Structures are given as C-alpha cells and as structure tokens.
Amino acid sequence: GRLEFELVDCGKLKCDPVAFARADATKHRAYIDIDPARLAGLSLTAPRTGDRMCPLGMGGCHRLVSDVLIDRKLPARLRSSVPVLRDGDAIVWLVGIQPDERYKVTATSNTMVRVTYREDQT
C-alpha cells in the first residue's frame, strides 16, 4: 500500500477540528496532528514484536500492538499484515484499526494532516 498526505488548515474549517476529524475519518483515512516538516520521516511498516502504542481514547495508556489487534478480534493470520504508520519508532496509526493518542487532533490544533492509505491493486 501507499500513503497520501494532505495538510488541512484548522483555521479555515467551519467547525471544531476534532469534530471534523472524527466525522471524516474512515478505515483508510485518519487525521493526525504532526509538524508538517516531519511528514518526510513517516514510514509504513509491518508490526514488530514488542511494539507498543497509546490507543486513542485510552487516556495515554500504553498497550502492546498485539493486544490491540487481539482486542479487535483480528485473526492471527492477518495480524502481521496490518500496515503501521510510524514516526521514527513511535506508532502513529495502525492503519484501519486504531490511531495513537499522542497524534490526535485537538481543539488547539492549527494544522492537521489527512492521511489516506491506498491499498495496492493486484
């Protein structure tokens, strides 16, 4: 798969950035709050043994990615194929599953990034 990034100026929205991000997010589209200069450093990988993240909505609690995938009832045979968006070693988004709390859009976000995952067509 591949990723597409689009900057969204929160000041030009007619509603709260959090509400906009929540309403427009889909399985293959997420909104993150990250410095646009860091976009070039984002990478798409497979899950790694011992990966940890802070699932959105869990108040900053760290969880093993394997536990998040089990909680979501993803079959074991599919867990290693879940794309993982990373900022260095930090997980930004388990694509199609769960974004990370540390990259969430807030009411004070000035710019957010719309991240769209496009699956390879075979």
Side-chain angles (χ1 to χ4, degrees):
R2 64 184 170 85
L3 295 171
E4 296 174 357
F5 301 104
E6 182 182 347
L7 295 178
V8 178
D9 183 346
C10 296
K12 293 185 178 180
L13 296 175
K14 296 189 186 316
C15 65
D16 172 55
V18 175
F20 177 85
R22 212 175 269 145
D24 198 49
T26 66
K27 181 177 179 183
H28 291 108
R29 181 175 44 230
Y31 287 83
I32 60 173
D33 187 344
I34 189 171
D35 181 345
R38 291 176 41 201
L39 289 179
L42 296 180
S43 61
L44 196 60
T45 70
R48 300 174 187 150
T49 302
D51 268 347
R52 298 179 72 78
M53 67 178 295
C54 297
L56 183 63
M58 291 194 57
C61 294
H62 283 79
R63 302 270 332 266
L64 285 170
V65 166
S66 58
D67 290 343
V68 173
L69 297 175
I70 289 168
D71 290 350
R72 292 299 186 96
K73 310 235 183 295
L74 195 68
R77 63 182 164 67
L78 299 177
R79 292 180 199 147
S80 65
S81 65
V82 172
V84 179
L85 179 62
R86 296 178 188 276
D87 178 16
D89 286 331
I91 293 177
V92 177
W93 180 31
L94 289 180
V95 177
I97 307 287
Q98 184 78 43
D100 190 285
E101 180 85 20
R102 296 166 291 184
Y103 294 88
K104 73 179 178 182
V105 174
T106 67
T108 60
S109 297
N110 294 318
T111 303
M112 59 183 161
V113 179
R114 177 186 292 130
V115 183
T116 304
Y117 176 75
R118 304 269 185 217
E119 293 186 66
D120 291 331
Q121 303 298 321
T122 54

